[in-house]
Amino acid sequence: MTFNKQKKILLLLSVPLSLCGFMMSTQVSTPAAEKPNIIFILADDLGYGDLGAYGQKKIKTPNLDKMAANGMKFTDFYTGNTVCAPSRCALMTGKHMGHAYIRGNGEIPLRAEDVIIAQKLKTAGYRTGMFGKWGLGVAGTPGAPNLKGWDSYFGLTHHVDAHFQQPDTLWQIKNKALVPVPNPAKAFANELFTQHALTFMQEKSEQPFFMYLAFTIPHAELRGPQRVLNAYMDGSGKSVFAPEKPWKDGQHYGGQPNPKAAYAGLVTAVDDYVGLVLMKLEEMGMAENTIVMFASDNGTHLEGGRNLQDVEFFASSGPLKGVKRDMYDGGIRTPFLVQWKSKIAPASTTNHVGAFWDVAATAYELAGLPATKDTDGVSFVPTLLQKNQPKHEYLYWEFYERGFDQAVRMGDWKAVKRSQNGGKIELYNMKTDIQESKDVAAANPAVVSKMENVLKEAHVKSEIFPLAKKK
């Protein structure tokens, strides 16, 4: 995106804020030099292969590609889970799925005792802001944003509300209370999230800040501002990816006559919004003292008019097998980019194997907080600085929507245990078989035995998410 285009979008974004009675501050922040600002940007259902930096050929993502050129690209980084809520729980609490309180979708809130990144960073002198899809507690629950360490919040707290791009109501922290904010003109939610994030960034403060910007796209509903859709329409108003299979209105997600063009447009919209954040950092002279991370919450989806043929058309999962709700890497491996201009070598790539529960440990180290045993994470600051990096013994996931599925990665080995496969352990060598196409369990009984022990060890019983009963 060009500088002029970014400025044009910034102007467009500033208009809807008047609907919320919220005016943009013109004061400039002066961050504390000894502690970096930390920004984590999360896309919703973006595939591993949806960015140019990860091989995408049909969808334009110039700002994220530039972020990769200016920073570090992780090739083997994983989400917290294969669906939204537990993935975000792992991100915020630093707990993997065997230990996390929230292990599946639904409106189950975090508990008072579940400490998240924002709460810990406040003890290190950070001001905190969260904008977008929360999904870890609605108003009146102990997981509500105003009770979880956020000084500023504007967004959607309920999962289903976040399915729709023009919600009737959003939520905001005012005077430490979480209050509803009407959206009478039906402004697009992600436009509002971005504008509030930009405003938070430029508020005058001597404190460093932690900002979490969580979009609701390219998750269905596949709708967006007309300029977003126009990016993949030809001069006659037809999709450049024709033929398209329309998604009819009247179903859960709103109708979309051009699902492929709309999905591509929403991926590019995420890229546009990230570009505005990065441009704001440059304008304010903060890029050298701000670390920016970008990821997706899980793999690409098959919802709202998007189908498996569309995933294959765009190669949204890249070289990986599977999509959202799969325990294969297409469901849980994410594009992960980190930019820190003063510290990270440009255009660097790492195959360090990490996951969302590492982000908390990393943020705590960046903030100068002592190492804690309260998370399952391992800080990847050494990787960013090209120093000796401690490694995980293993990474672990579990998933409940299809019975009870588990996965573990240990070094180059990956084990998958699916209810649909009778609970039989499948074993893959990720170094030689990134597509998880050849199950080598029979040829490696010792490895399978070791993986079975890990699957038992990593899972701690949950009263909220019980195991499926055997029939």
Side-chain angles (χ1 to χ4, degrees), residues 299-329:
T300 189
H301 65 84
L302 304 177
E303 300 168 26
R306 184 163 163 80
N307 55 45
L308 192 58
Q309 290 72 36
D310 296 345
V311 173
E312 294 170 350
F313 176 81
F314 288 113
S316 285
S317 294
L320 308 177
K321 175 182 179 178
V323 294
K324 179 180 179 180
R325 290 186 169 82
D326 288 329
M327 286 278 97
Y328 300 115
D329 270 24

Side-chain angles (χ1 to χ4, degrees), residues 12 39 84 179 192 207 225 232 305 336 459:
L12 290 169
I39 298 176
C84 171
V179 298
L192 299 176
Q207 296 175 276
Y232 295 96
F336 187 56
H459 170 78

